[in-house]
Amino acid sequence: MSVTDDAIAKIKAMIISGDLEPGARLPREADLAAQLGVSRNSLREAVRALSLVRILDVRQGDGTYVASLEPKSLLDAMSFLLEFHQDNSVLDVLGIRRILEPAATALAAQSMTEEGVAHLRTLVVPETTSVTELVALDLEFHAAIAAASGNKVLASLLDSLSLPTTRARIWRGMTEERAFERTVAEHRGICDAIAARDPELAQARALAHVAGVMEWLRRAAG
């Protein structure tokens, strides 16, 4: 382990133990470096690394603070990194969605309000919608389901995984025959299962939906 990695681990340990709570200001650089037993240069590198992943918040002229550590804030960093690897890792991202999205949909079938179901139905659009409009509504449709799961971490994670697959969704809508109709039909089936409060059916339909996108992408890439 490098000295910088050691400093990162020690700062994280202080946060986990509660010695540094969300919103707390870190001690002066010289004092913290002495406390951790590292050089000030190594400490600066550690702070820089932890700020990139939203664990620390460096405020010029004010000091360094522990961030809020809210799931969305932490996962924004992952979403940002995924944007740089869209073309190479979109299948991997979809693979993660294939694991998580059915679980979120099953939870939504148990907890989504009637108002939520009514809103979800407005996002199931007619076949005449343009590709870009369909993709925008597709993102909103899945985000509404994830939010209704009641698990903020799961919802934030799925949200961060949705944007890197946007280009693939647009590409599919432009090139695959009957992509509109298939997407609308699958969304309607998922919505009906949620409305029926049938978590197993909702989970199965969500799994088939994501798996279908993955199967198309493999064929298109091959």
Side-chain angles (χ1 to χ4, degrees), residues 83 86 90 135 139 161-171:
E83 285 292 328
Q86 278 191 353
V90 66
V135 171
L139 290 170
L161 293 171
S162 290
L163 290 178
T165 62
T166 300
R167 287 196 296 182
R169 298 184 203 192
I170 293 174
W171 182 23

Side-chain angles (χ1 to χ4, degrees), residues 7 17 20 23 47 62 73 75 84 100 102 104 126 136 145 148-149 181 185 194:
S17 69
L20 288 173
V47 168
D62 187 21
S73 175
L75 291 166
F84 285 99
L100 299 180
I145 292 173
S149 71
E181 295 90 338
I194 292 173

Side-chain angles (χ1 to χ4, degrees), residues 4 13 63 67 100 110 123 126 129 140 144 158 161 213:
T4 300
L100 299 180
Q110 300 173 67
L123 304 177
T129 305
E140 191 176 348
L158 283 169
L161 293 171
V213 177

Side-chain angles (χ1 to χ4, degrees), residues 91-148:
L91 268 172
D92 290 337
V93 173
L94 284 168
I96 300 172
R97 284 188 56 204
R98 182 177 177 173
I99 295 169
L100 299 180
E101 201 153 310
T105 308
L107 290 170
Q110 300 173 67
S111 60
M112 183 177 280
T113 64
E114 292 300 325
E115 292 80 6
V117 173
H119 173 64
L120 199 63
R121 289 198 184 282
T122 67
L123 304 177
V124 179
V125 294
E127 290 81 350
T128 53
T129 305
S130 71
V131 172
T132 53
E133 289 173 339
L134 181 67
V135 171
L137 287 170
D138 179 65
L139 290 170
E140 191 176 348
F141 178 86
H142 291 287
I145 292 173

Side-chain angles (χ1 to χ4, degrees), residues 13-153:
M14 293 176 70
I15 295 171
I16 292 169
S17 69
D19 290 339
L20 288 173
E21 297 183 345
R25 182 175 179 174
L26 269 64
R28 290 174 56 250
E29 183 181 272
D31 295 337
L32 185 57
Q35 181 180 343
L36 299 180
V38 299
S39 70
R40 294 175 68 171
N41 283 338
S42 295
L43 178 60
R44 290 190 196 106
E45 290 299 318
V47 168
R48 186 176 295 113
L50 289 171
S51 68
L52 287 173
V53 291
R54 309 294 178 87
I55 291 176
L56 296 180
D57 179 16
V58 179
R59 304 174 190 175
Q60 293 297 325
D62 187 21
T64 300
Y65 293 78
V66 179
S68 66
L69 304 183
E70 286 293 320
K72 187 179 188 308
S73 175
L74 294 174
L75 291 166
D76 277 346
M78 185 183 73
S79 179
F80 178 73
L81 291 173
L82 285 170
E83 285 292 328
F84 285 99
H85 303 284
Q86 278 191 353
D87 296 325
N88 295 328
S89 64
V90 66
L91 268 172
D92 290 337
V93 173
L94 284 168
I96 300 172
R97 284 188 56 204
R98 182 177 177 173
I99 295 169
L100 299 180
E101 201 153 310
T105 308
L107 290 170
Q110 300 173 67
S111 60
M112 183 177 280
T113 64
E114 292 300 325
E115 292 80 6
V117 173
H119 173 64
L120 199 63
R121 289 198 184 282
T122 67
L123 304 177
V124 179
V125 294
E127 290 81 350
T128 53
T129 305
S130 71
V131 172
T132 53
E133 289 173 339
L134 181 67
V135 171
L137 287 170
D138 179 65
L139 290 170
E140 191 176 348
F141 178 86
H142 291 287
I145 292 173
S149 71
N151 187 314
K152 292 182 179 180
V153 175

